[in-house]
Amino acid sequence: MTSALPFDDFRDLLARLPGPAEDAAARVRDLFVKAGGENRSLGQVEDIAVWLAAWSGRAPPAVNRPLVAVFAGNHGVARHGVSARPMQATADAVELCAAGGAAVNQACIAYDLGLKIFDLALHLPSGDITREAALDERGCAATMAFGMEALADGTDLLCLGNLGVGGSTVAAALFAAIFGGKGADWIDTDAGGNAAMAIRRVEAVDAALAFHGAHFKDPLEVLRRVGGREFAALAGAILAARMQKIPVLLGGCAALAAAAVLHAAEPTALDHCRLASLPLRRGPRDAAKRLGLAPLLDLGIDGGGGLDSALAAGLVKAAALVSSGTAATVRR
């Protein structure tokens, strides 16, 4: 990156996003019509295959190098008691993944998916968004660039997830900054559990909105002020995938919040993305609806560290194989 201001390169990329391969999508649609007529007997499986063809440029599509990328970060806002877990829990979760014992590891084995876990300076939490910016512009841009490098080894389906104590509160702050409203609009306060903690989360979001509210016109500025390292890295990964025309599965509230930032900057920025699973919490569900992202699955997973996107990848791989089988049948 060579521009004078750290965010300028990302603004340039957002201004020249590549579009889908409409010819490949049309060929896959035609395959299904020839095989089954106009009644769309395979339903959403056809839609997934067409989406995959549009963003891979292959008809029929194939998924040969899927990658689950999980970004882990800690947040200064956690000091306000917004999570039942200590900050050390993030490092523990990363270590569990590295040892192969997390749920996402088993899903990756089941569906033959690659898995990378990115430790984003867990010893150095991002700034407490109630009283300071999460990151400075240079640090945010560098973390976005780091997220882009997650694709360096090559993949043809990117499945995203996150780990991080305090991340759901940060995601709520990002949703509120992007879509409007207050903390209570984006955090469940009546869903049972620890009511006092829910109130602290609402108060933290409202404090962040009050402190940073004058800077919300620029979505990237929103990201650096009320986001965090894994949110910035996820935004970078989503953007890099678009530039390389790689389909993306969004898993977890952090990926959804990072996607909301990109959508606010450029409304077509998420055309290559699908939502892995219906979010369990009201705030992320509302955000997904506003972004026009319909979930592939509904499994009641809350967070999961990439589990939801890994499970959705199994469905996407199956849809690719179905389209390949359909193509073979049609050619006979």
Side-chain angles (χ1 to χ4, degrees), residues 15 38 52 87 127 148 152 160-161 187 212 226 238 259 297-298:
E38 299 285 353
L52 198 57
M87 204 170 289
M148 298 180 84
L160 296 176
I187 292 176
H212 300 285
V226 297
I238 294 168
L297 303 172
D298 181 4

Side-chain angles (χ1 to χ4, degrees), residues 81-171:
V82 298
S83 175
R85 298 174 297 154
M87 204 170 289
Q88 178 61 33
T90 307
D92 293 343
V94 169
E95 290 179 9
L96 184 62
C97 287
V104 67
N105 294 93
Q106 318 320 317
C108 287
I109 292 170
Y111 294 123
D112 193 21
L113 313 173
L115 174 63
K116 290 183 180 180
I117 311 295
F118 298 92
D119 176 339
L120 299 170
L122 296 182
H123 65 287
L124 185 64
S126 57
D128 177 358
I129 61 173
T130 68
R131 63 186 68 174
E132 61 185 326
L135 300 165
D136 61 27
E137 183 171 342
R138 189 171 300 279
C140 186
T143 308
M144 291 178 71
F146 179 85
M148 298 180 84
E149 290 300 314
L151 284 68
D153 294 333
T155 181
D156 52 15
L157 177 66
L158 180 63
C159 314
L160 296 176
N162 75 285
L163 294 167
V165 172
S168 61
T169 300
V170 171

Side-chain angles (χ1 to χ4, degrees), residues 3 16 60 62 68 73 107 118 132 154 156 159 166 202 238 249 256 261 268 283:
S3 71
R16 53 185 182 89
V68 178
F118 298 92
E132 61 185 326
D156 52 15
C159 314
V202 169
I238 294 168
L249 293 176
L256 190 57
V261 169
T268 66

Side-chain angles (χ1 to χ4, degrees), residues 164-242:
V165 172
S168 61
T169 300
V170 171
L174 281 169
F175 292 143
I178 293 295
F179 297 119
K182 296 183 178 181
D185 298 315
W186 297 99
I187 292 176
D188 291 341
T189 57
D190 57 354
N194 192 325
M197 185 180 299
I199 291 172
R200 290 195 292 272
R201 289 173 178 166
V202 169
E203 291 173 345
V205 170
D206 288 342
L209 297 176
F211 187 85
H212 300 285
H215 304 277
F216 287 169
K217 291 183 180 180
D218 181 350
L220 295 182
E221 187 71 2
V222 171
L223 177 64
R224 83 154 185 99
R225 284 180 170 273
V226 297
R229 290 188 181 86
E230 76 269 38
F231 292 83
L234 286 161
I238 294 168
L239 184 55
R242 177 57 171 269

